[in-house]
Amino acid sequence: MLRDVLTGAFVVAGGLAIAGAWGIEALTRRLRPESTVSRKGAGAPAGGVNACFDSTDRKRVEQEHRQFELLVRSVVDYAIFMLDPQGRIVTWNKGAEALKGYSESEIIGRPLSVFYTPEDLAAGRLQRFMQEAAQKGSAEDQGWRIRKDGSRFWADAVLTAMRDESGRLVGYAKVTRDLTERKRAEERLVESTRILAQQQRLLAGIVEHVPAAIAYVDGDLIYRWNNPAHCTQMGLPREAIIGHTVFEVMPGTESALRPRYERVLRSGEPQFETALPLVFERNGRRHETYWDTAYVPVTENGCVTGILLLGIEVSERIAREKSQQAMIEKLRAIDRMKDEFLSVLSHELRTPINAIMGFGSILDDEIAGPLNARQHDYLGKILNGSDVLLALVSDLLDMSRIQANKLVLDCHALDFGAATQKILDGMAPLAEHKHQRLVSRVPSALPHVIGDAQRLGQVLTNLIGNAIKFTPDGGVITVQACAVEGAVRCEVHDTGVGIAAEDIPRLFQRFTQLDSSSTRAAGGTGLGLSICRALVEAMGGEIGVESKPGEGSTFWFTLPRADEV
């Protein structure tokens, strides 16, 4: 009978707890107005309760019972059940089974503690919950609870004490909701809030300490906020900037800045500028500055309400760049003067050299009269020196033409084998003088190449002459050529001392001699290889060198094949 009374009361109480219309005590008072508690005869269960109602109250209660029962059935998301005074479960609904995983047969008679976590039980949380409900009539608690399968859910529970008309505690009504998703959403919100706050602190720290000037102006171009770097670069305290227009802070810049700001406000598009010149006056002093800037529109409800200004003053950088540019122009002018000087000098030197060589030849040929052997020897040295000097002057003239982009080539199809053999024949006596072997491995049936015959001869003469010059007496110089894809490749290999890897990049630079000492064995201006590179590249080819110390050197170049053009 107690179970029936508790069950009936709980159905109503549970519904009321959900609906929030009445309290449990009001319900139990409505169940008791005309009721009496009577003892049955011998053998009747002790503590049995028999509730008696008149027919009017009974009908009203039954009607409310049915209404609340329908309400309870409609809220299956709630776990609704009854406990006895010791906290053992005496009723179980479908919502409780769905939420906690126990069937009615599995859970009836088991203690409420089965749902609590070990840590909550150790902390006495369940005991305090039940004590509060017993003392105050009801209590509410939230926390992690355990399902049958061991998983946890976040529960919102209301525990209501049930008493009989004498005030004796006869049990509890318990309503539980699963708020796991809301709890997790709250935790996510808390975590998002924490991360957002952290990011805001980080951003604030960056803005406060970044060397770039950052400021915000409203639609009237009045400063509303700025960072310390902006104050520093403006040379003003914050109170002299905030609340003032841009043009008050930098007088004289309105014509330069207003069109830019208005374009951003009107278009809503950011603007970026590099090395923007701004000239303004302050305290009677003229300031000429340069800025790398960005103007970023700030919008609210789709309307541009202001501009975020970001800028870095780059006046010192611009000053350095101007100084460097002036120095570059000065060096270029010096370089032009040098080229002009070399050109003039070369032209002027050719006249006396030609005179020396001409009259020397007349004397050597004894046209002006007979000479003795010593006189012929002296004239031979004069003529040889004149030849060397004329070659140096020719190199200077070629380099000046190359530098001035005035080098003119007469390129056409050439018989590479015949052109190479002609140069080899001319260089043979020079090799024989040093007891060297000049070996030719140039096939006669090579494809024709596109090039200038005179300039090709100049390149071959220079490369073979260098090989003879830098190869010890008794060495071997080998000239070989072969057809490669789209070109003919020529190699001049010597058995000289070789070249260190770190010196190779310097070989084709102007006026470069690897041995620059006053006692060097080989002479020259250091222009030969740089002229060779310019000539080969002008004819559409490439040039390079492969060498190792002690293993000799191989200078190579390519020229495009005539049949591929």
Side-chain angles (χ1 to χ4, degrees), residues 466-515:
N466 280 348
I468 293 172
K469 186 188 303 184
F470 293 103
T471 298
D473 290 2
V476 179
I477 294 92
T478 304
V479 180
Q480 59 187 30
C482 64
V484 295
E485 184 177 356
V488 170
R489 177 183 173 102
C490 179
E491 297 179 354
V492 179
H493 176 71
D494 64 57
T495 57
V497 295
I499 304 167
E502 60 271 18
D503 290 330
I504 288 178
R506 299 168 47 210
L507 283 175
F508 294 96
Q509 296 177 4
R510 289 183 300 160
F511 302 105
T512 297
Q513 284 275 7
L514 297 187
D515 179 8

Side-chain angles (χ1 to χ4, degrees), residues 357-378:
M357 295 179 69
F359 286 107
S361 296
I362 291 173
L363 292 174
D364 194 41
D365 292 339
E366 297 184 347
I367 295 175
L371 300 175
N372 58 37
R374 177 180 290 182
Q375 291 171 332
H376 278 294
D377 181 54
Y378 289 162

Side-chain angles (χ1 to χ4, degrees), residues 144-356:
W144 290 108
R145 300 291 183 265
I146 302 176
R147 296 187 179 93
K148 178 183 176 181
D149 61 7
S151 62
R152 295 191 177 195
F153 65 98
W154 187 261
D156 176 30
V158 176
L159 188 65
T160 303
M162 303 293 294
R163 298 181 181 276
D164 61 15
E165 62 183 8
S166 65
R168 181 173 62 89
L169 180 68
V170 294
Y172 298 91
K174 189 167 188 297
V175 180
T176 304
R177 287 188 301 166
D178 181 3
L179 299 181
T180 306
E181 289 303 317
R182 190 173 79 177
K183 175 64 176 177
R184 289 174 178 166
E186 291 173 352
E187 290 176 345
R188 289 193 295 268
L189 178 61
V190 169
E191 179 63 14
S192 298
T193 303
R194 184 191 67 80
I195 293 174
L196 180 60
Q198 183 182 38
Q199 292 174 341
Q200 288 175 336
R201 290 192 298 270
L202 176 62
L203 180 60
I206 292 174
V207 168
E208 287 295 308
H209 298 95
V210 71
I214 305 175
Y216 170 73
V217 296
D218 61 19
D220 296 321
L221 305 183
I222 297 174
Y223 284 109
R224 296 303 180 186
W225 174 89
N226 70 343
N227 71 337
H230 184 264
C231 294
T232 301
Q233 296 192 29
M234 289 293 103
L236 293 171
R238 180 165 288 174
E239 57 270 20
I241 298 175
I242 303 303
H244 299 273
T245 67
V246 174
F247 314 120
E248 290 172 336
V249 174
M250 292 189 294
T253 62
E254 184 167 0
S255 60
L257 292 179
R258 183 177 290 279
R260 291 173 166 84
Y261 292 157
E262 289 181 348
R263 185 163 57 248
V264 175
L265 292 171
R266 183 174 58 255
S267 67
E269 297 292 333
Q271 301 289 328
F272 305 93
E273 301 218 36
T274 301
L276 172 67
L278 290 178
V279 180
F280 60 93
E281 294 185 1
R282 184 181 297 144
N283 300 326
R285 182 181 174 187
R286 185 174 183 271
H287 297 265
E288 182 176 348
T289 60
Y290 292 84
W291 296 79
D292 288 346
T293 61
Y295 314 120
V296 182
V298 177
T299 60
E300 184 177 347
N301 297 325
C303 298
V304 179
T305 58
I307 304 173
L308 184 65
L309 309 177
L310 298 94
I312 298 178
E313 186 179 356
V314 293
S315 302
E316 292 184 3
R317 187 192 78 194
I318 298 301
R320 287 195 303 270
E321 290 177 355
K322 287 183 176 180
S323 176
Q324 292 169 355
Q325 188 62 34
M327 180 61 69
I328 291 172
E329 291 299 326
K330 185 176 181 180
L331 292 174
R332 286 174 177 169
I334 293 173
D335 198 49
R336 287 193 297 270
M337 291 173 63
K338 178 201 67 179
D339 291 338
E340 292 172 2
F341 169 75
L342 290 175
S343 178
V344 172
L345 180 63
S346 300
H347 281 287
E348 293 301 321
L349 284 175
R350 288 179 71 90
T351 300
I353 291 173
N354 287 332
I356 293 170

